[in-house]
Amino acid sequence: AWEQIVSGSEDKTCRVWRDGQCVLSLPHAGSVWGVAALPNGDIATACSDAMARVFTRDPALLADETTIAQHEEMLAAQKVAAQEVGGVKMSELPGVEALDQPGNKEGATKIVRVNDKAYAYSWNSVESKWDQIGEVVGGP
């Protein structure tokens, strides 16, 4: 039986799972396209920012302070960038109440803010309702 599973995601995280529960989330600068659980317990990741990273619990293998500081700065910049989607500030997107207005033609689209995420909707003129397409995310 597996003790843990490691996954990579388009949401810019590598996650460690135990018994179906996420026990650790490692943020990245881009989509995490590859992961490997190494024999010594370290985790290697391949990211869309063209970087490979190794995460370890072994103090003897930790990166130097400058590298760690650069990684933390990159994560802070990602947090600021997450406040925009498609060049539009999340705070400027309409809320779900914008879906109370019908679309003007089949397939018309709207992006609305739900909490801290943006979702795209398409107008379904046959059923006279907005169909959710999915979450709007930035590129890799």
Side-chain angles (χ1 to χ4, degrees):
W2 292 48
E3 289 184 28
Q4 65 185 25
I5 295 174
V6 180
S7 66
S9 177
E10 292 288 328
D11 74 356
K12 302 179 182 180
T13 62
C14 169
R15 296 178 190 260
V16 179
W17 303 84
R18 286 194 191 109
D19 299 323
Q21 299 295 313
C22 179
V23 295
L24 179 64
S25 182
L26 301 167
H28 284 65
S31 299
V32 180
W33 289 341
V35 297
L38 304 177
N40 67 350
D42 290 353
I43 298 170
T45 63
C47 183
S48 64
D49 68 352
M51 294 289 292
R53 294 177 177 87
V54 177
F55 295 86
T56 185
R57 293 183 195 142
D58 185 344
L61 300 176
L62 289 178
D64 60 68
E65 289 181 24
T66 301
T67 302
I68 292 172
Q70 289 172 341
H71 183 73
E72 290 172 352
E73 287 172 15
M74 175 271 307
L75 293 177
Q78 284 296 314
K79 191 170 190 174
V80 169
Q83 295 171 0
E84 288 192 8
V85 62
V88 177
K89 290 182 180 178
M90 290 289 285
S91 60
E92 294 176 1
L93 288 175
V96 293
E97 64 278 357
L99 301 176
D100 293 340
Q101 286 293 117
N104 54 8
K105 66 179 181 176
E106 177 70 25
T109 58
K110 248 182 210 187
I111 299 176
V112 299
R113 178 180 34 84
V114 179
N115 298 321
D116 62 346
K117 295 185 179 186
Y119 291 91
Y121 286 82
S122 176
W123 180 249
N124 178 335
S125 58
V126 173
E127 298 182 30
S128 296
K129 69 180 185 88
W130 289 100
D131 292 329
Q132 187 181 70
I133 299 169
E135 183 180 350
V136 179
V137 297

